[in-house]
């Protein structure tokens, strides 16, 4: 069974500082990997995803993530935080093969931006 | 921009009552998912449809939960009877086909008293 671990339920950074949100997965086969963002009382919006090819993936709003197979990680970064980045961030995986492709999510990281 | 629609947005019900949620996916999307998100946690898949067929309902508590997508378009998730532990956000997502990006609706927040 797959699982996703997000280190740090809350991360606080200053506006303009580097954002680093950590995600590690457990899977027998490297899965597809995703980062979603959720604003209060809203659904989830896809930031970026990795399926195959280049391991450094660029997403919306200046975010990017790097797939590292040897570390089973898919950490999310942004060079300079903006106040509007304050939200809940979820890392998720889905199996590569098989019929079902429902997402398995981590518990989320609440990103706080200090002015 | 096309969006996944869900209703109601909020629902308060009493324990042992029946409750139903509705989802209208993006037009043309063949795959539809229902997730449950308990406060402070990530969403968990309840059921996945491909057109009108169930692909995966292994995590659906079938003694009280049911889901259908009769014409392969919109879908209904029902809980009967509701329990206190069912209080959560119920999210619907759709994708054009399997393995494609999943687009989420705004969710239905359920409170069971």
């Amino acid at each position: 069974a797959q699982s996703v671990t997000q280190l740090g339920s809350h991360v606080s950074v200053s506006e303009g500082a580097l954002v680093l949100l950590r995600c590690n997965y457990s899977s027998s086969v490297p899965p597809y990997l995703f980062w979603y963002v959720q604003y209060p009382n809203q659904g989830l919006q896809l930031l970026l995803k990795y399926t195959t090819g280049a391991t450094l993936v660029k997403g919306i709003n200046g975010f990017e993530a790097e797939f590292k197979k040897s570390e089973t990680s898919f950490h999310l970064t942004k060079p300079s935080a903006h106040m509007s980045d304050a939200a809940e961030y979820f890392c998720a995986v889905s199996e590569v093969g098989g019929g079902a492709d429902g997402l398995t999510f981590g518990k989320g990281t609440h990103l706080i931006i200090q002015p | 921009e096309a969006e996944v629609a869900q209703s109601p947005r909020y629902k308060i019900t009493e324990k042992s009552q029946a409750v139903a949620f509705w989802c209208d996916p993006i037009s043309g999307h063949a795959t539809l998912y229902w997730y449950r998100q308990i406060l402070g946690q990530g969403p968990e898949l309840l059921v996945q449809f491909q057109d009108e067929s169930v692909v995966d309902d292994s995590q659906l508590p079938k003694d009280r939960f049911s889901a259908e997508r009769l014409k392969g378009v919109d879908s209904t998730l029902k809980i009967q009877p509701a329990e206190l532990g069912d209080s959560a956000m119920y999210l619907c997502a759709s994708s054009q086909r399997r393995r494609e990006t999943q687009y989420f609706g705004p969710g239905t927040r359920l409170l069971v008293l």
Side-chain angles (χ1 to χ4, degrees):
Chain A
Q2 302 172 110
S3 66
V4 178
T5 301
Q6 292 185 238
L7 286 177
S9 59
H10 292 77
V11 170
S12 180
V13 302
S14 298
E15 190 174 19
L18 171 72
V19 174
L20 170 60
L21 304 183
R22 300 178 187 273
C23 172
N24 288 87
Y25 67 89
S26 173
S27 176
S28 56
V29 176
Y32 292 156
L33 297 152
F34 307 81
W35 276 99
Y36 280 85
V37 61
Q38 185 177 34
Y39 297 98
N41 293 315
Q42 293 187 25
L44 282 72
Q45 180 184 12
L46 180 69
L47 283 175
L48 48 78
K49 66 178 180 181
Y50 170 80
T51 54
T52 60
T55 56
L56 181 62
V57 181
K58 295 186 184 299
I60 62 172
N61 302 338
F63 285 94
E64 62 182 36
E66 185 172 11
F67 168 56
K68 292 187 176 181
K69 182 179 177 181
S70 61
E71 299 177 7
T72 61
S73 70
F74 191 56
H75 301 331
L76 182 71
T77 61
K78 181 174 180 178
S80 178
H82 191 272
M83 295 299 292
S84 62
D85 294 328
E88 193 80 16
Y89 291 79
F90 292 95
C91 181
V93 302
S94 72
E95 290 187 7
V96 174
D101 66 333
L103 298 172
T104 299
F105 287 86
K107 292 187 175 182
T109 297
H110 186 63
L111 178 62
I112 301 163
I113 309 298
Q114 305 279 6
Chain B
E1 179 177 300
E3 296 180 343
V4 176
Q6 290 188 248
S7 67
R9 290 294 310 275
Y10 303 92
K11 180 70 178 179
I12 300 174
T13 191
E14 292 186 346
K15 186 176 61 172
S16 79
Q17 294 298 304
V19 63
F21 314 129
W22 178 78
C23 171
D24 191 12
I26 294 172
S27 178
H29 280 199
T31 314
L32 185 146
Y33 312 79
W34 283 100
Y35 291 86
R36 177 172 60 184
Q37 184 179 20
I38 295 171
L39 191 63
Q41 298 189 22
E44 296 177 306
L45 180 72
L46 292 174
V47 61
Q48 177 184 346
F49 289 93
Q50 179 65 31
D51 300 309
E52 67 277 6
S53 299
V54 173
V55 173
D56 181 8
D57 64 356
S58 57
Q59 300 304 309
L60 188 71
K62 297 181 189 65
D63 57 335
R64 298 185 300 108
F65 285 64
S66 65
E68 60 183 16
R69 194 184 183 199
L70 294 176
K71 297 182 179 179
V73 180
D74 59 337
S75 176
T76 302
L77 178 69
K78 297 178 181 177
I79 308 175
Q80 183 173 18
E83 296 181 352
L84 297 178
D86 296 331
S87 294
M89 174 82 90
Y90 290 82
L91 294 162
C92 179
S94 71
S95 63
Q96 195 162 19
R97 60 186 66 85
R98 295 183 202 178
R99 311 275 169 230
E100 301 273 334
T101 296
Q102 294 182 31
Y103 295 89
F104 284 78
T108 295
R109 185 169 292 283
L110 173 67
L111 178 61
V112 182
L113 302 175

